[in-house]
């Protein structure tokens, strides 16, 4: 069985690689939640990570399926007949996912960490000149998460048990623009914008068992939902010569449950795996209504129709020298879209290396390449409501790549 000598280098390579792989999960997930720094054996540690993800989703065979609605004053704006515009378009934008954390041991039994991350986000930007502009011109969601997590540990058999608990404060904001009325592809008019923001609190709880001698660890951690009960903002229709008015609604960022397991399997070798469930199905149709009634003030909705997300990862790590370690993994993420939207299954092959020039410093570089699987989007019915009747399209197997770099310092 592998001894403690493999632990830091191999696990560093694994951690960096998994960050790169996890950054292209379903729903609105970017980096999700990560508390691995809590398990660092040093009394004090600080870590900074930056991950860049480049999904290349292309929409094809786009068709405006609501060409008859040309009334700019109708509550259900349609934008006009856009089928004269291009029927293929690049949909996604690349993005950065940063993370900063600090860990401290408080005596022999308590470890605590504080971290900042951006767990949720999305950015599609097909632009105005395509046949589906009445559905989307640009959509962007951003988040900021500030967390504190602690664990209490005690010896049990050959290892130690940890009880884990923490809280986090989350800020979420975003906007969506779409074509409300067609005044021509080059016209700056005719665009409507919905913009929203809110914040809320969440908590986490979990348990872990470790046998440091063999680099063995199993952890199960639950992260609560974050209720955005005062999700508020505005709808801007001044591009049609109408008005800008305040709206409100509610939503919840999802809860999740993740099981992680790792163990030394031979001298210098480590096997690892994880299974994560994320409750994206609570984000279906988000309705927003005007704060006050008035002429040309209409309700609207964000139609997501997500199903629950599942992410499964397995891999192997190896320590080459006292300074160099590496790892490779395969990740499957079940798509959260099913008939409406572009989030089909994703397969990712990840690899990472760790360089430890001294016992106090780790430098990691990791990357992943993968496939966004093919599918189509069109009209579906949800609780008697017709969703997606404005545009239909197909998409093939598209490329996604990610690269992550990080620096950890121990004291």
């Amino acid at each position: 069985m592998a001894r403690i000598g493999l632990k830091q280098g191999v696990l560093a390579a694994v951690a960096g690689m998994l960050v790169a792989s996890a950054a292209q999960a379903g729903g609105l997930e970017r980096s999700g939640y990560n508390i691995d720094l809590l398990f660092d054996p040093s009394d004090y540690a600080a870590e900074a990570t930056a991950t860049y993800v480049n999904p290349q989703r292309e929409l094809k065979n786009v068709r405006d399926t609501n060409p008859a609605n040309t009334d700019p004053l109708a509550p259900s704006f349609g934008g006009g007949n856009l089928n004269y515009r291009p029927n293929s378009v690049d949909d996604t934008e690349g993005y950065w996912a940063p993370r900063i954390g600090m860990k401290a041991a408080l005596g022999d039994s308590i470890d605590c960490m504080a971290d900042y991350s951006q767990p949720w986000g999305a950015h599609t930007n097909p632009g105005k000149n395509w046949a589906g502009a009445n559905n989307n011109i640009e959509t962007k969601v951003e988040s900021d998460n500030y967390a504190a997590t602690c664990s209490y540990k005690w010896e049990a058999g050959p290892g130690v048990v940890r009880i884990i608990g923490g809280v986090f404060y989350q800020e979420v904001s975003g906007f969506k623009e779409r074509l409300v009325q067609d005044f021509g592809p080059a016209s700056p008019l005719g665009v409507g914008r919905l913009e929203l923001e809110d914040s809320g609190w969440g908590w986490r709880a979990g348990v872990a068992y470790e046998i440091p001698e063999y680099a063995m660890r199993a952890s199960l951690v639950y992260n609560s939902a974050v209720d955005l009960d005062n999700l508020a903002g505005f709808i801007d229709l001044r591009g049609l010569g109408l008005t800008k008015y305040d709206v409100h609604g509610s939503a919840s960022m999802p809860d999740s449950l993740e099981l992680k397991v790792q163990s030394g399997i031979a001298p210098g070798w480590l096997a690892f795996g994880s299974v994560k469930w994320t409750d994206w199905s609570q984000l279906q149709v988000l309705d927003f209504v005007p704060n006050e009634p008035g002429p040309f003030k209409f309700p609207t909705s964000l139609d997501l129709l997500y199903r629950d997300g599942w992410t499964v990862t397995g891999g192997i790590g190896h320590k080459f020298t006292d300074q160099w370690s590496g790892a490779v993994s395969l990740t499957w993420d079940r798509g959260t879209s099913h008939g409406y939207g572009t989030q089909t299954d994703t397969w990712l092959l990840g690899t990472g290396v760790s360089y430890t020039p001294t016992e106090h410093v780790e430098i990691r570089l990791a990357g992943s390449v993968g496939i966004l699987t093919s599918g189509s989007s069109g009209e579906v019915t949800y609780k008697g409501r017709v969703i997606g009747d404005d545009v239909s399209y197909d998409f093939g197997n598209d490329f996604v790549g990610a690269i992550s770099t990080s620096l950890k310092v121990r004291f």
Side-chain angles (χ1 to χ4, degrees):
M1 186 77 70
R3 298 289 172 173
I4 193 169
L6 67 70
K7 185 176 181 182
Q8 293 310 314
V10 175
L11 295 188
V14 169
M17 177 189 53
L18 295 183
V19 168
S21 296
Q24 186 55 37
L28 300 175
E29 186 156 343
R30 286 201 164 166
S31 59
Y33 301 120
N34 187 315
I35 62 167
D36 287 348
L37 182 62
L38 187 68
F39 299 98
D40 192 284
S42 302
D43 287 340
Y44 303 96
E47 183 178 41
T49 301
T51 303
Y52 179 73
V53 184
N54 184 24
Q56 298 183 12
R57 178 63 89 190
E58 181 183 0
L59 309 183
K60 305 174 182 179
N61 305 318
V62 181
R63 188 169 67 90
D64 180 356
T65 54
N66 190 19
N69 190 346
T70 59
D71 182 359
L73 302 183
S76 178
F77 296 124
N81 190 342
L82 306 183
N83 284 315
Y84 70 95
R85 299 190 181 192
N87 65 357
S88 64
V89 69
D90 293 331
D91 187 48
T92 50
E93 293 278 352
Y95 58 86
W96 287 93
R99 183 188 301 277
I100 301 172
M102 298 186 66
K103 177 257 181 181
L106 307 178
D108 295 331
S109 300
I110 298 176
D111 295 298
C112 289
M113 65 169 284
D115 70 293
Y116 164 80
S117 64
Q118 296 178 355
W120 319 123
H123 193 189
T124 59
N125 188 19
K128 192 174 179 181
N129 189 28
W130 70 297
N134 56 357
N135 175 269
N136 184 36
I137 293 176
E138 183 177 11
T139 299
K140 190 172 186 179
V141 177
E142 297 177 303
S143 65
D144 296 290
N145 191 76
Y146 308 89
T149 306
C150 291
S151 70
Y152 178 79
K153 62 186 177 183
W154 67 91
E155 293 184 0
V160 296
V161 174
R162 288 182 189 254
I163 298 298
I164 301 166
V167 296
F168 44 90
Y169 174 72
Q170 207 163 100
E171 299 172 338
V172 182
S173 62
F175 70 86
K176 178 173 183 176
E177 292 183 343
R178 71 178 185 92
L179 192 67
V180 180
Q181 182 61 31
D182 181 19
F183 294 112
S187 174
L189 303 176
V191 175
R193 180 183 177 97
L194 169 67
E195 190 164 325
L196 300 161
E197 64 179 2
D198 197 7
S199 59
W201 289 87
W203 56 271
R204 64 171 50 103
V207 62
Y209 184 70
E210 302 168 88
I211 306 178
E213 183 180 8
Y214 302 120
M216 180 271 172
R217 182 169 77 228
S219 64
L220 181 67
V221 177
Y222 172 79
N223 296 283
S224 78
V226 176
D227 293 329
L228 305 176
D229 295 326
N230 299 303
L231 193 56
F234 61 83
I235 292 177
D236 189 349
L237 297 177
R238 290 176 296 181
L240 284 84
L242 298 178
T243 187
K244 175 183 176 182
Y245 55 94
D246 294 332
V247 296
H248 67 276
S250 63
S252 291
M253 303 312 295
D255 52 338
S256 65
L257 182 67
E258 184 169 21
L259 172 67
K260 290 185 176 181
V261 180
Q262 64 190 40
S263 179
I265 54 175
W269 290 90
L270 180 85
F272 58 92
S274 65
V275 178
K276 181 173 66 174
W277 164 81
T278 308
D279 187 18
W280 288 114
S281 62
Q282 63 182 288
L283 294 178
Q284 297 292 314
V285 176
L286 309 182
D287 291 309
F288 300 97
V289 298
N291 290 0
E292 299 177 355
F296 309 121
K297 292 183 177 180
F298 309 112
T300 190
S301 66
L302 284 177
D303 304 327
L304 300 175
L305 298 187
Y306 290 151
R307 63 177 177 176
D308 286 354
W310 287 92
T311 305
V312 181
T313 296
I316 296 290
H318 180 56
K319 179 178 179 179
F320 300 107
T321 70
D322 289 341
Q323 286 77 41
W324 290 95
S325 298
V328 63
S329 74
L330 181 66
T331 297
W332 168 73
D333 183 80
R334 187 180 83 155
T336 53
S337 298
H338 50 117
Y340 175 78
T342 65
Q343 294 191 6
T344 50
D345 290 8
T346 301
W347 290 90
L348 290 166
L349 178 65
T351 185
V353 294
S354 170
Y355 176 57
T356 310
T358 75
E359 62 179 338
H360 300 292
V361 176
E362 288 181 5
I363 301 170
R364 302 194 295 253
L365 179 65
S368 61
V369 294
I371 295 175
L372 310 173
T373 57
S374 61
S376 60
S377 178
E379 180 179 315
V380 298
T381 300
Y382 170 74
K383 293 185 176 180
R385 298 172 62 170
V386 177
I387 306 296
D389 60 346
D390 49 358
V391 63
S392 66
Y393 49 78
D394 303 317
F395 42 90
N397 293 321
D398 294 318
F399 172 82
V400 57
I403 187 169
S404 176
T405 182
S406 65
L407 172 67
K408 178 186 284 188
V409 179
R410 298 187 180 92
F411 306 94

